[in-house]
Each structure stands twice: as structure tokens, then as C-alpha cells.
Amino acid sequence: MSSPSTALARRRPIGQAPKETHTHTQTRTPVGVRSGQGSAAMSSGQAKVPVAGRRNVLVTSALPYVNNVPHLGNIIGCVLSADVFARYCRLRGHNVLYVCGTDEYGTATENRALEEGCSPLQICDKYHAIHKEVYEWFNINFDHFGRTSTPQQTEICQSIFSKLLDNNWLSENTMQQLYCESCQRFLADRFVVGSCPVEGCGNDTARGDQCDRCGRLLNSTELIDPRCKVCEGIPIVRDTDHLFLELPLLKEQLEKYIDEASATGSWSQNAVRITNAWLKEGLKPRCITRDLKWGVPVPHEKYKDKVFYVWFDAPIGYISITACYTPEWEKWWKNPENVELYQFMGKDNVPFHTVMFPSALLGTGENWTLMKNISVTEYLNYESGKFSKTKGIGVFGNDAKATNIPADVWRYYLLSNRPEASDAVFTWEGLQIKHNNELINNLGNFIYRVLSFIAKPEGAGYGSIIPEAPNANTHPLSQSLAETVGNLIEQYIDAMDKVKLKQGLKIAMAISSEGNAYLQESQFWKLYKQDPASCATVMKTSAGLVYLLACLLEPFMPSFSKDVLQQLNLCPKEHISFADEKGETEKVKRPWDLIPSNHRIGKTVHLFEVLNDDAVDSFRKTFAGSQAERNARAN
């Protein structure tokens, strides 16, 4: 995000703000009191708070802009990755709070409202509901999914600003900005279009903040032949005053925090690289205000007609959304000794979370829970191009649902293809290969072979009853499998603790491969008649492995896990937790002991259906081009 166009005239300290504050246009509600977007946990009096003696994990994912439907790149970059980690932490017995919500203020929302001929609030209501529906279909298990256009956001944002003001971390600057005389307003970045100034680009519809063709970040005054997006008039340059956060003055505190957090926490390499690049380039004062109407009002008499810039406002949304969830939000956000904050996002959001947001919190002088761990994805591209919300290119959340491919298949493909170290590419062929070769031929094949054999009537199987394993402790093949699986589980926990989600999924699937190899080598179909005791050991061990896979893969494919546990006739709420205090990590190294003898399993069915070539070709054609082109074809 770029600052308003700057022709630097003067930077000066700000006088003390008046006692009274400019209130939000919405009805004000005390911080921590709900404003209509309640949660079941809160209404039942069971909102989570940190618990002494337990590991308390606060998880956030970058707040998605509310002005469009999220595409698959957005989903894997923030909410899905965070969901997997939050589910894993619950599996480990940690006390977890996962919050997210729609980022609703700023130019993008006003711009979308203009395009659709309605108010910004109507846009927010419309797309908040769409986002919520998409994430529910993807089985994203938020503890609370909120929004930033709330009284809690206004109050907390203004409180942080006031403390920065009191502590002299703010200054003001007279800047030059484009002004539309016809509309009688200063034009925010996205309300200006013109020709890109980059030589050779040639884009004559570049926005005032960025050129979509060459990717260059811009200031609106840099555009050639700029024009107002609202009335197509030619704007003029005028002086306007704005407030700045003095990042250079906060540099010492910020660098100390970054050094400590990146050393003791889990920071992905791209987060470290991007943050260091910002520090090396040199911190500059950052503008925190905008000449807009839709946003958090600035509580200062001189700037009461301005709002806070979205990069300053949006990260505070994590805090205000928590305040909408529980009035005891400070136990999460002002408790760094007992709470670990994990944040998930795409690489374009890194500086706002490692530089801007912590600087604002540090500047208040209060004891905030600062981010200790950050997981950042690179870009997920689409076929031969790029996903684009602006151009409507790629597969969007509602598109995924329309294919009738189960949500867990989408989750698996996105997570196994998660762009952790470099950009990745979504292809329909890649989805088909992952689905058919890995989910069906590996995972589904192993589970069905085991459970369908146990379900066969006596004389051919075990009549759906888990047999006893009389010689498990002396059965060489089972002992070898147990040792291999034990090592893989230790690797799985190590990878997941370090937020290496792609590696964790790969290790879990390796356990399924070991199960298939174990079945083949045992030749259980021959043992059934030739060595019944060994066959019983193999099948009881394999059934335990099925149970283990359902638990390990729950963070990645929750519906799959539920279906497998149903086929095993086991309660989903009582599955293996891998909590250190329960010692279950050691227990799983004896898979033949995971399900008791004489337990009756449920009905066995195939878990996945083949994704054939015709379906893939159809999807590729259906989702080719932009959304506008698709609509034209449909009509």
C-alpha cells in the first residue's frame, strides 16, 4: 500500500489533541460489548480465555478485503493455512483462539460501492455474508469471524492513536494530492486513473496506487493524464495536511522486537527476507490518515473530517474482532507472558505485520501481545496466468463449491501445493492427479482394503469385529511398521510445530503409503487361512493405522476424518489428541492397541470418487478467462 502523493513541504510535531473525540457514525458500544455479530460461544457464556499452566495460542489470518469474493490464492494464503494450524494445536491439547474477519474500511470498499451503486455499508454487509458462506463451505473453523466496521474497532483504534499522540510518535505533513473540483473532494488513490508513468508499460487505466499491468506501486500524482474515476473530470493538485507515524523514531524498539521474535519464534524465511529488506532500505514516516468518509474517524479537531488509512486501521481489527468475541479480550492481547500469537498471510502483507503494526503497538507503551510467529505464503498462480480479484481471473470460493468436488479435496490439493518457499501454480490436471493418485490410490485404497476385509462375514473376514492381536509384540513385520510409524509421527509433530504445513501433510500421507506396503508384504489374504493369528495381528494393526490417519489428517481434511471415524464407529470428539500430558504420542507407536478387540466397526464405503478427464476438461473450459467473459458465454 502506498502513501498519499507526497511533495514534502514540512513535517512538524502535532499539538495536543483536544479532550473530546469525534465519534463514529454508528451507535457507540463499550469495548468488549457485542454489536450484533455474536458467537455461540459468547452467548452460552463459554468464550475462551487464556488458561494458566496451558499453552495459549492466539491465531489470526490476514483480514480479507470485503469488496470481492475470495479466490483460491486468497484462501490458501490466509484462512485455510491458519485453520490447519489452529486445528493441529487443538489436536495437541493447546488452548487455541482463532479469529479473523472482513477488512471493511478504505478506498477499495468505497470504490466497489460506487461501481455497484450502493453505500459502503451495503457492500460490506453483502460481501461479509459471501465470505462467511465460502469459508463455512471450506470448513474453516474460526472461533469468531467478525468485521472491522464495528464500534469496538473505532474505540480501540482511536485509543491506540491517542496514546501514540500522547507519546509524541506522530507528526503532520503538508502534502500535495489530487483534488476533483467537480466532486469537491480530495481523491484517494483508487479514485484516480491515468496512464502508467513506467516507460514501456503503456497501461492507460493504471490506478492511483498501483499499475495492474507492470505491478509498479504508484502515487496518484505520478500518473500521466490523471482523471477522476467518479466523474471523469481532470483533477488539480492541492495541499492537504495528513498525520504520520514516525517509524524512524521507533526504529530502535522495533528492531529489538524483530531480532528477538524472529530468533525465538517461527518466522518463515520469506517473512524474514521481506522485513530485512524494509529495514535495510530505511524506515520512513508513514501516513496514517486519508481524505475519505468510510473509515475510523480521527479523534483530533483539526483532522476530524479524515479517517485512518486502512493499513493503520486493519491490523487493529484482530484486536477489535477479539473484543467482539469476549469482553475479556485484553487477556489475549495484553498478556505476552502467557499467549503466543501466530499470524498467517500472503507475502504482500508482511511489512504491515512485521513493521507497521508492531510499531504502532510498541509506541503506545502498553504491554501488548506482539506477534511471535508468522507464516507467509508466496503467490498461487492460475494455469498459465495469475489469480486476480480485480479482473475476475481464476477459481473463486463459490466456483469451487459449484464444481461439486468435495471441500476436503480442495483443501488437500491447496495444502499439498501450498506455496511456502516459492510461487506455485494451480492446474486442473494437477488437481486431478493429486485426487486420483494420492487420495484414491493411496489413502482411500488403504482404508477401504482394511475396513472392507474386516467387514466381511466370518469365514471370509471378521464380521465387522476388530480381532484380537495375540502375537503383536512378537510379529516382526508389525514391529517394523510400528517403528517406522513412530519415527514419522515425531517428524509430523516437529514439522507442524514449526508451521511447515505442507511437510506435515506429506508425512501423514507417507504413513498411509507405509500401511499399503505393510498390507502387501503381509499378504493378509493368504494369512487368513494359513496363519489366522498373524492375520488378526495385521488387521488389528491396520485398523489402528486407519484410526491414526483419521486423527493426523483432521487438521487438513476434517470431513474426511469424520467420515473415517464414522466407519470405525468411533466418536470424533474422543479421537487421539497427541497432547503431551496424556502421553498419547507414545501410545500411537503401538497401532495394534489403538482400537480395542471386539469393537464393532460401522458401514464401509469408498471415501473418494474418481475425477475423470471429461470433468476436468469441462472445468478448464468453464473457468477460462475472466468472470465477465464467463458470464457472457453463459448468456
Side-chain angles (χ1 to χ4, degrees), residues 26-45:
Q26 294 172 308
T27 303
R28 285 172 63 85
T29 306
V31 175
V33 177
R34 292 182 178 276
S35 59
Q37 293 94 38
S39 75
M42 184 62 181
S43 61
S44 62

Side-chain angles (χ1 to χ4, degrees), residues 70-84:
H71 57 59
L72 298 184
N74 303 138
I75 290 168
I76 186 58
C78 54
V79 297
L80 178 54
S81 295
D83 178 63
V84 172

Side-chain angles (χ1 to χ4, degrees), residues 580-631:
D580 290 334
E581 59 270 21
K582 293 185 178 181
E584 290 183 341
T585 305
E586 289 301 314
K587 182 180 177 181
V588 298
K589 295 178 181 180
R590 296 169 54 85
W592 49 83
D593 285 339
L594 293 179
I595 302 179
S597 302
N598 300 314
H599 171 80
R600 178 177 291 274
I601 67 171
K603 183 180 178 181
T604 301
V605 295
H606 288 287
L607 291 160
F608 306 101
E609 295 182 6
V610 172
L611 187 57
N612 61 42
D613 292 342
D614 289 343
V616 170
D617 290 341
S618 175
F619 293 142
R620 188 182 291 110
K621 293 174 183 176
T622 299
F623 298 107
S626 68
Q627 289 174 318
E629 291 168 339
R630 296 176 207 168
N631 292 335

